[in-house]
Amino acid sequence: MALDPTRAETINDGLTRSTIAVLIMAGALLAASSLWAQTADALVAEMEGTDERSTGPLAPPDPAAREVALGALGGGGLLLIPESSNDRVMAFDATSGNLIDPDFIPADPGNLSTPIQAMLSPDGTQVYVSDQVDDVVQAYDLDTGAFVGTFAPAGGANTAILDNIRGIAYRPNGNLLVSVGSGANADAIAEFDGGGNYVGNFVANGAGGLDSPFDVFAVVSPGGVLAAGDFLVPGISSDAVHRYDSTGAAQADFASLNSFGEQVAQAANGNVLVGNFSGTQEGVVEFLPDGTVFGIYDPPSLGGYRGAYELPTGNILTTNGSGVHEIDRAGNLVETKIAGVSARFITLAGGGAGSDVPRTTFAVNKDFDDDNPASVEVTLSCNTGLPLQQSATIEEGVGVVFVVVDFNSGDMNCEVSEGSHLGYATTYDDGTAINTTGCAYTGVNWGDANTCVITNSLQVVDVTVTKWWMDENPQFNAVNYAEAAYDCVNEQFGIQAFGTLEFLGDGDTQDFSVFPHWNGTTTCNVNEIVVENGIEFDDSECQGLSVTPGSGASCNIYNTRLYEGIPTLNHYSLALMAMLMLGVGFVAFRRYG
């Protein structure tokens, strides 16, 4: 079917005059041959993201499938693939390519129109989804799949910045790159900071001849003409896979491509894979690192290729308007993983090199053995790299995931530690060893998902009691022996401290141990037990002693020995006796042993 010239006038302004001419020529060619598998109308719809049809009512999302997917995310990784028939994001096993959860991000036509690519946020808590028609990058909660809000542009859609967007990627510093196909900022790669704020174009409009970019890919494995930090961008109207350095400056094209390159990926051997929607090279095109075509894989039953991803078996997972498919390098269809959906780009989340962003994570969790809810500051320090956050305040049940970007895989060493917490001993478990200094990691690689569990163990504190005798006199051979009973309430772990202390001699000190409660409600009492007649005692200092973690307590018990019913002077009556002596003269009395 030839392109209607009237329709051409209304095509999104990202379609240049040269593009329209190409499409009209394509329509003419279709009348005489089958050179291209895609019609001109299909090309226009693909460029605009408008050829989508709902598959009808969907089954409710399966919570069990979601749990399996989240488990895979923390293991070998998860493949996220949006499908624009129902405006949702599907999750697939990264090893087999099999479908795990078709509703990892459930259908959300209110916030998605034509989702193209989904990837984890740098902190690993959200999923970012680029939407071709709504011109925004949306954010969804990773754990629940619930819509969070628009991430970029901050504040909502702004077609002066993003219009007809497609693939996305991260710079090593964590900034998000978005390919822009239309509008005032057409033919550029826009850049956004961690808050979704537009910070300018990483690749300038039309730089290096770029016309209608459909993806932006951060090179994972340098080699051939590909340098570390390079980005590859297919231009569907410029018929090339363009190459840009780490600053966004145009380099010599990586390769020419006829004619509609969509997603770019790298294979384990460093070769470059491109899902090519149409043209004389329609299929998944494999290039050597020097840009030479190595192979084109186009099973007869497929066509209109979009996504490309190499499975560990060496087979290729690809997507098109009819589903997700596994093909081999002989050009055979091995298996269709899901049919009847218009599937888009394939992104590895959480699985190491080749994942959505060259980064690593450190998940830190806290455990107080007495369930103390106190907050503690934890810190991540590395010898290189760029931590997106270096310190955080966490508590039991509320941890933090530190993310580090911008480092060479294998070159980084990191440590997680926390400040001291009074009254507790700290141990660190990094998954390989337990120590008392910190969780240590050496030779950290891209995509590593590191863990650190910090345990704070409550330590006992001592309550110290000292016995004082006010009349100690060797001539009477006083034994000065006494006993005291102690007991405590509201101790931690359900323990109750109680027992008896024995004192012999003036200034004798005894103590007992207590596990104090974190909330400060532990109190202890020490009461003297009278073991000898004629003893006056004062243990008031030892009543209601407050005992808290990291802080013991102390008190004194004073004894006065009585003679013939008249007490000797204790420490409280000395002042009174002095006053009496001054007022009525010297008062004498005889002491008897």
Side-chain angles (χ1 to χ4, degrees), residues 221-437:
S221 301
V225 299
L226 301 175
D230 277 0
F231 286 82
L232 297 178
V233 179
I236 62 175
S237 298
S238 44
D239 291 344
V241 179
H242 302 280
R243 183 167 62 94
Y244 303 89
D245 68 13
S246 61
T247 69
Q251 308 298 302
D253 287 347
F254 172 70
S256 60
L257 180 65
N258 185 297
S259 66
F260 203 125
E262 294 205 14
Q263 186 176 18
V264 179
Q266 267 190 298
N269 59 8
N271 288 357
V272 174
L273 305 175
V274 181
N276 192 25
F277 185 77
S278 67
T280 59
Q281 294 175 302
E282 181 178 1
V284 175
V285 182
E286 182 171 5
F287 296 93
L288 296 175
D290 63 2
T292 302
V293 174
F294 178 79
I296 301 175
Y297 316 121
D298 178 23
S301 60
L302 300 182
Y305 300 86
R306 292 165 171 165
Y309 177 83
E310 184 186 48
L311 295 169
T313 60
N315 286 346
I316 296 169
L317 201 66
T318 188
T319 60
N320 66 2
S322 67
V324 179
H325 317 278
E326 179 182 353
I327 64 176
D328 63 23
R329 280 178 160 90
N332 300 308
L333 173 63
V334 176
E335 183 182 7
T336 291
K337 304 296 185 179
I338 184 173
V341 297
S342 187
R344 298 292 179 160
F345 287 7
I346 306 166
T347 305
L348 175 63
S355 62
D356 46 15
V357 58
R359 65 187 181 103
T360 192
T361 59
F362 300 84
V364 185
N365 291 294
K366 163 67 62 183
D367 177 31
F368 278 98
D369 68 352
D370 63 346
D371 297 326
N372 189 334
S375 298
V376 176
E377 184 177 57
V378 293
T379 301
L380 172 71
S381 59
C382 300
N383 66 327
T384 186
L386 175 65
L388 301 185
Q389 181 183 10
Q390 287 188 287
S391 63
T393 299
I394 66 174
E395 59 192 54
E396 185 163 15
V398 182
V400 65
V401 178
F402 291 116
V403 179
V404 183
V405 298
D406 200 11
F407 66 96
N408 293 324
S409 191
D411 288 349
M412 185 169 67
N413 303 325
C414 296
E415 182 177 83
V416 174
S417 60
E418 73 170 17
S420 61
H421 197 70
L422 187 64
Y424 293 83
T426 303
T427 57
Y428 299 87
D429 183 355
D430 59 17
T432 59
I434 298 177
N435 60 68
T436 59
T437 58

Side-chain angles (χ1 to χ4, degrees), residues 14-154:
L15 302 182
T16 63
R17 292 182 180 276
S18 61
T19 301
I20 295 171
V22 168
L23 294 176
I24 293 173
M25 184 181 297
L29 286 170
L30 284 167
S33 70
S34 58
L35 180 61
W36 286 357
Q38 307 302 319
T39 67
D41 279 352
L43 295 174
V44 173
E46 188 74 2
M47 295 181 79
E48 296 178 323
T50 56
D51 187 21
E52 301 307 324
R53 304 177 184 85
S54 173
T55 58
L58 298 173
D62 181 0
R66 180 171 196 82
E67 288 303 313
V68 173
L70 290 172
L73 183 67
L78 194 67
L79 300 178
L80 301 181
I81 306 178
E83 63 100 342
S84 48
S85 300
N86 301 287
D87 301 319
R88 60 182 177 174
V89 177
M90 306 176 292
F92 294 76
D93 183 87
T95 300
S96 65
N98 292 336
L99 177 65
I100 298 177
D101 184 5
D103 300 295
F104 191 70
I105 302 297
D108 186 18
N111 295 298
L112 295 175
S113 292
T114 303
I116 297 294
Q117 188 164 12
M119 58 177 56
L120 288 183
S121 61
D123 66 3
T125 64
Q126 297 180 350
V127 177
Y128 292 160
V129 184
S130 62
D131 192 284
Q132 186 176 7
V133 171
D134 287 347
D135 305 317
V136 293
V137 178
Q138 306 284 41
Y140 289 83
D141 183 80
L142 174 66
D143 291 329
T144 66
F147 178 68
V148 175
T150 297
F151 171 71

Side-chain angles (χ1 to χ4, degrees), residues 487-538:
D487 69 89
C488 302
V489 296
N490 296 332
E491 287 189 80
Q492 192 56 267
F493 308 126
I495 300 172
Q496 182 180 5
F498 64 92
T500 301
L501 305 174
E502 296 182 347
F503 301 91
L504 182 61
D506 187 46
D508 189 19
T509 296
Q510 301 293 324
D511 54 38
F512 57 91
S513 298
V514 181
F515 278 104
H517 200 286
W518 54 262
N519 65 8
T521 60
T522 302
T523 59
C524 296
N525 295 300
V526 184
N527 298 289
E528 177 147 11
I529 303 171
V530 177
V531 296
E532 181 183 346
N533 292 330
I535 300 296
E536 180 185 76
F537 62 87
D538 179 3

